[in-house]
Amino acid sequence: IQDDHKLSASELEEKYGTSIDKGLSSARAAEILARDGPNALSPPKATPEIVKFLKQLVGGFSILLWIGAVFSWISFGIQFAQGAESPFDNLYLGVVLALVVILTGVFAYYQEAKSTNIMASFSKMIPQQALVIRDAEKKELPADQLVVGDIVEIKGGDRIPADIRLIFTQGCKVDNSSLTGESEPQSRSCEFTHDNPLETKNIAFYSTTCVEGTATGIVINTGDRTIIGRIASLASGVGNEKTPIAIEIEHFVYLVAGVAITVGVVFFIISISLRYKILDSIIFLIGIIVANVPEGLLATVTVSLSLTAKRMAKKNCLVKNLEAVETLGSTSIICSDKTGTLTQNRMTVAHLWFDNQIYSADTSEDQTTQPFDQSSSTWTELSKIVTLCNRAEFRPGQENLPIMKRVVVGDASETALLKFAEVILGDVMNIRARNKKVAEIPFNSTNKFQLSIHETDDPNDKRFLLVMKGAPERILERCSTIMINGKEEALDSEKAEAFQTAYMELGGMGERVLGFCHLYLPESEFPDSYPFDTDSTNFPTSNLCFVGLLSMIDPPRSTVPDAVSKCRSAGIKVIMVTGDHPITAKAIAKSVGIISATSETVEDIAKRLNVPVEQVNRREATAAVVNGMELKDMSLEQLDEILCNHSEIVFARTSPQQKLIIVEGCQRQGAVVAVTGDGVNDSPALKKADIGIAMGIAGSDAAKNAADMVLLDDNFASIVTGVEEGRLIFDNLKKTIAYTLTKNIAELCPFLIYIIASIPMPIGTITILFIDLGTDIIPSVALAYEKAESDIMNRRPRNKRKDRLVNEQLAVYSYLQIGIIQSVGAFITYFTVYAEQGFLPSTLLGVRVNWESNAINDFEDSYGQQWTKYQRLYLQWTGYTAFFVSITIQQVADLIIRKTRRNSIFQQGLFRNKVIWVGIFSQIGIALILSYGLGHVTALNFTPLRFQYWFVAVPFAILIWVYDEVRKLLIRRHPGSWWDKNMYY
Amino acid sequence: MATLNEKKTCSERMENFRRFVWNPETKLFMGRTLINWVWISLYYMAFYVVMSGLFALSIYSLMRTVNPYEPDYQDQLKSPGVTLRPDVYGDRGLQIYYNISDNKTWEGLVTTLQTFLTAYTPAAQHLNINCTSDTYFIQDTFDGPNNTKLSCKFTSDMLQNCSGITDPTFGFPEGKPCFIIKMNRIIKFFPGNGTAPRVDCTYVVSFLLYQQGDESRPLEVDYYPVNGTFNLHYFPYYGIKAQPSYSNPLVAVKFLNITRNEELRIVCKIIGAGITFNNVHDPYEGKVEFKLKIED
């Protein structure tokens, strides 16, 4: 490790070839940048693209399809060697199957790459800026352009852009919590105080924040060579684990693959024992596999997820990992940060106390006026102090922005006061110009006040005005009078008591309180040209007149209370984890509803009953405020007990490491935990959480890298919208899967009946692929646009062990009921086509061998007509087309019934989801094109179908609809009944 | 993102499965109580009974709508298929190879012909009438017994030298074999537009040239009946219900001068209006193609 902290400023200048006044030259900086690379953490090492792609090729159903393809090629090889007549059919089938796997693989890969790209583009969106001296000029540069030797200036509120050796400081404090977990700001100075560079006061570290004061320093490390960079690269070795939805999909793949393999093997054995040739049996096996595997489904799921991800991105939830979309929906505990997430992340004046009365100020995000009573002349004086005794300034050029959005140079409290004054008085800068400042003592931690002396704007009043603000008790010490209703009155013990009460009350609300006082300096003693000297303080600083108190808080975002109550009704426990003081934390928790109005903590009960805390029955308290210090000494069991017994929990004064402990505790309860975080040290908690949520604005890159989701607006309410979307997509995926699985039976039955009853083949393998990857794709994606059936935010989060995506009811209802109706409908069409062309159903039974024989060219039908092989084959293709069309027609009905799982279609509305209609029209359109447009391409096995055959299955489609309506009606009428339990999926 | 993966050992899985099959605590068999199984089975039984009923009903009404005499559509039967006897299929269609001096190679072929012609003995044809007219035998009424239509007699003796009566070996040992050409039945099909369709056999010099045009050469053949025609009074066919005893008219072809030890590609077309033989997908529509090789 370096010893830069031991060097003097001039030694540093020499070492880095820079000048403290002039900085580096641009050319030199460019050189170093080229040598060291940009000042950014290199992202965690990604899986090679080819590996990602290959994973897509073997995941999910791909293995089954590969098996199908290999079997096809094997049977082609055998047939080719035997010199059979049309061996190439199997070759083509194998190629088609392989193509299906590759295409869906490419698609999935593309989708994944796209979502990764969104993330990549996002991290470029909000570059951090740094104030650098280069070529003897101050410049704002993107922080990643910084190089070693640059001179940077930092002020309160900035993030430290690199590891910096400080050479000039003024009241500088940094928050090293992202590095050390210590949330107490630490002061920084230029002195070398410790041998260890991590401990010495003259180094500020990359990604920590400067809380207050200003500093200038030389950049000594950039990018991955910074301390944080070294930690981050150590931490990035953690592999990705499975999301709940990935587990659900895996479960579903196993289920379907299990059915496919079981049916395939059973019928392989049956066909062997029915004395079919091995080769034929293998071909049947391929058909059964293809019929059973919903080839398009995984792609559909990906599309649905990415549609939701897009929708969520619009609502400021940027999802890095598609599957996290659903994880958010199954979240049962949210561990939320306070600052910035629940609150607006800016100090705002919340209360005022003057004339012995507390006034409330508006703390909403977009205040334009303040409604409290401003008629008292005490307020006039107070407002003057607030305006004048303030160093904060608006950055120029923001006149058109709303006041609350303007950027201010100054610390958080001063900013709050400045904006507060600007809202009420307007043009503060002008007021200050009219009341020229003649002397000033800035705030420092020893005297804890700030003072300034101004000329007045009244030309007749030649007195100077001394204004002072600071810690209330310190201010009060310096006062001898107090202003009540514009009149100075002696500060007696009664008035002091009133002050104390107000101070305690405001402080008890977790607010930061400031006292304000003033003094008009008598003209006789302090004439116009009086030389004010702040070092010798040749002016009074005591016996002042106390004017009032202002208290500030980082107020909750206005959308948060609503969002928290939504979470509550959605059965999601919101736990606040903050580094803040317990009182502030509790106040915010109460105001946003994390601790509800009626619930009490153990301490509250103790206070109410006036008994020691130990005597209170802990079970009675629903809320708990746990201090980080207490947490440190707790055993895991104690933590579990707290998490179990209290529904409303606030963790205050916690370090990021403790966040990890809390997350683990929640996960021990079996909860799906969402965690918000922004610091580097939050990354373990973010990784550990089921879904880590990083803050887009305040978040560090490390946090964003570790997170699954990024909140672009840092707003807690966005998480709730995300939860809603996540729950909706889970429901809609159920619908999509139910829709897709249904027709598998209608595709499978033909093979089974073909093998058992030896009828001509009702549907071809290629035709099945056209359903799975053609007509069915758009409709199944359309279900992702379905609106929720009821308020999904009113039910409990799904239990990840019990509420499966594909449950028994869904599979059984789809396969054994709707699927069977579809098969019957399709077979009726098949028999109709054959009967009307001359083959009555009775003739068809058992004809397979002769029907398929190339040597029989005078095959007799039910009317005595004789058919050549090709004429039969063409009829067979017509049968395929008819079967295909019937499935398509019935899938339209299937699509409509899948819109809802419980409600009637009429409750849901047939036309609310327009995309469903796009799906229906695409489905029918594709079928029309295949039949009439491509009906003459023999390789596709479609024929131009007589028009009336499109309608044979319509009664069965209607039956599907009616049957499902009855099912839903009974479910609604008899909740909890046998029917509900068995028929609701 | 945290793991939800619970790694289970094989024995745990087996235990879980055993528990799933029969859970003694909750008395669940495969996830259901026994009574629940009864209910669900009853429901499915009822459901499938209803579905089978619907299926049967649909098939019944389908059968009610179809015409028992002729099919509603003949979309695939625009032109009749043609078949050959004896029919021995090799890898690429019909292949008749035999050796004059080896009885075994042609006895099978002869037997095929003999068996085939048993349907054309006078005894087999006794239900059919003798027809003499050379025009279509159009019957609008059911004049036959049991509400049927009459069919014309075709007996094997009409094939003269190839009837198997005079020469039971159909000329195979002499290297002048007889082949029988049969046209497929199509209901209400009127071939030839008033002219009797006839068989015309040629041999193909090269397949390539054959595809380009009629690069086929005439063969020295005898046709029975004379000119190789199918008499018009066998048409139209009214279907198996109307003409249960109908038998297809035949044409026999006797190849008189086949080059020995050489594979010949022979095409026998049926020439007549309404009969097409240029469907690239169907080698048996309006024509029959076969390879013949006679060795000695």
Side-chain angles (χ1 to χ4, degrees), chain A residues 241 243 688 708 800-801 808 812 816-817 837 857-858 860 863-865 868 946 948 963 982, chain B residues 1-2 4 6 32 43-44 48 67 73-76 79 85 89 182 184-185 187 240 248 282:
Chain A
E241 281 119 3
T243 58
K688 181 72 201 166
D708 305 295
K800 61 186 176 189
R801 291 185 206 289
E808 181 201 321
V812 165
L816 298 185
Q817 298 187 31
Q837 296 286 347
N857 281 298
D858 48 2
E860 216 167 291
Y863 293 92
Q865 304 186 100
T868 66
R946 277 182 177 273
Q948 66 266 37
Y963 181 66
N982 285 288
Chain B
M1 194 152 299
L4 292 170
E6 302 118 18
R32 284 175 191 279
Y43 182 79
Y44 274 95
Y48 290 135
N67 183 330
Y73 306 111
Q74 293 171 304
D75 292 339
Q76 275 76 52
S79 176
R85 293 292 186 289
Y89 283 83
K182 176 170 75 84
N184 281 353
R185 296 192 291 253
I187 289 173
I240 201 163
N248 303 33
D282 192 349

Side-chain angles (χ1 to χ4, degrees), chain A residues 846-917:
Chain A
V847 297
R848 190 192 69 93
V849 177
N850 287 344
W851 179 276
E852 290 178 356
S853 165
N854 284 318
I856 297 176
N857 281 298
D858 48 2
F859 188 91
E860 216 167 291
D861 68 14
S862 313
Y863 293 92
Q865 304 186 100
Q866 292 167 322
W867 297 60
T868 66
K869 172 71 203 285
Y870 180 76
Q871 286 163 343
R872 296 196 302 271
L873 190 62
Y874 196 84
L875 177 59
Q876 191 178 323
W877 291 345
T878 311
Y880 290 2
T881 314
F883 212 95
F884 162 81
V885 163
S886 315
I887 292 180
T888 307
I889 295 292
Q890 293 178 90
Q891 278 293 80
V892 172
D894 190 24
L895 182 61
I896 289 171
I897 66 165
R898 299 305 183 180
K899 279 166 71 74
T900 59
R901 293 186 295 148
R902 180 184 289 275
N903 287 354
S904 164
I905 292 303
F906 301 103
Q907 284 170 296
Q908 183 80 349
L910 258 180
F911 300 97
R912 261 211 328 197
N913 180 357
K914 306 275 187 302
V915 189
I916 287 283
W917 290 94

Side-chain angles (χ1 to χ4, degrees), chain A residues 30-52:
Chain A
E31 242 171 69
I32 303 173
L33 186 65
R35 184 192 70 196
D36 290 351
N39 173 34
L41 297 185
S42 47
K45 208 173 147 204
T47 333
E49 295 299 302
I50 183 75
V51 173
K52 279 194 206 163

Side-chain angles (χ1 to χ4, degrees), chain A residues 631-643 660-662 664-665 668-669:
Chain A
L631 188 58
K632 208 181 266 174
D633 303 329
M634 264 182 209
S635 65
L636 291 181
E637 289 74 34
Q638 280 171 309
L639 176 61
D640 286 352
E641 198 195 304
I642 286 181
L643 291 171
L660 183 63
I661 297 172
I662 296 167
E664 285 170 338
R668 273 198 302 277
Q669 321 286 315

Side-chain angles (χ1 to χ4, degrees), chain A residues 83-85 241-244 247 324 667 687-690 708 800-801 808 812 816-817 820-821 824 827-828 831-832 835-838 840-841 854-855 857-858 860 862-868 870-871 874-875 878 938 946 948-949 956 959 963 978-979 982-983, chain B residues 1-6 32 36 39-40 43-44 47-48 51 54-55 58-59 62-63 65-83 85 87 89-93 182-187 237 239-240 248 279 281-282 284-285:
Chain A
E85 203 147 320
E241 281 119 3
K242 281 176 194 148
T243 58
I247 292 168
Q667 282 174 337
K687 274 231 160 109
K688 181 72 201 166
D690 297 289
D708 305 295
K800 61 186 176 189
R801 291 185 206 289
E808 181 201 321
V812 165
L816 298 185
Q817 298 187 31
I820 294 293
I821 301 180
V824 171
F827 265 105
I828 292 297
F831 282 121
T832 306
E836 296 197 333
Q837 296 286 347
L840 299 180
N854 284 318
N857 281 298
D858 48 2
E860 216 167 291
S862 313
Y863 293 92
Q865 304 186 100
Q866 292 167 322
W867 297 60
T868 66
Y870 180 76
Q871 286 163 343
Y874 196 84
L875 177 59
T878 311
T938 44
R946 277 182 177 273
Q948 66 266 37
Y949 295 142
F956 289 90
L959 175 67
Y963 181 66
W978 177 88
W979 183 270
N982 285 288
M983 296 294 177
Chain B
M1 194 152 299
T3 175
L4 292 170
N5 233 3
E6 302 118 18
R32 284 175 191 279
N36 208 328
W39 280 115
I40 197 95
Y43 182 79
Y44 274 95
F47 181 81
Y48 290 135
M51 284 320 293
L54 277 177
F55 182 77
S58 307
I59 294 290
L62 170 69
M63 296 307 285
T65 58
V66 295
N67 183 330
Y69 289 98
E70 54 184 290
D72 296 1
Y73 306 111
Q74 293 171 304
D75 292 339
Q76 275 76 52
L77 301 179
K78 298 295 180 214
S79 176
V82 178
T83 53
R85 293 292 186 289
D87 47 349
Y89 283 83
D91 290 342
R92 299 265 180 276
K182 176 170 75 84
M183 186 163 76
N184 281 353
R185 296 192 291 253
I186 296 178
I187 289 173
Y237 173 56
I240 201 163
N248 303 33
N279 184 341
H281 299 297
D282 192 349
Y284 301 104
E285 185 184 302

Side-chain angles (χ1 to χ4, degrees), chain A residues 379-391:
Chain A
W379 161 245
T380 319
E381 290 305 319
L382 182 58
S383 68
K384 213 172 254 175
I385 310 172
V386 168
T387 316
L388 298 177
C389 188
N390 192 332
R391 289 161 55 101

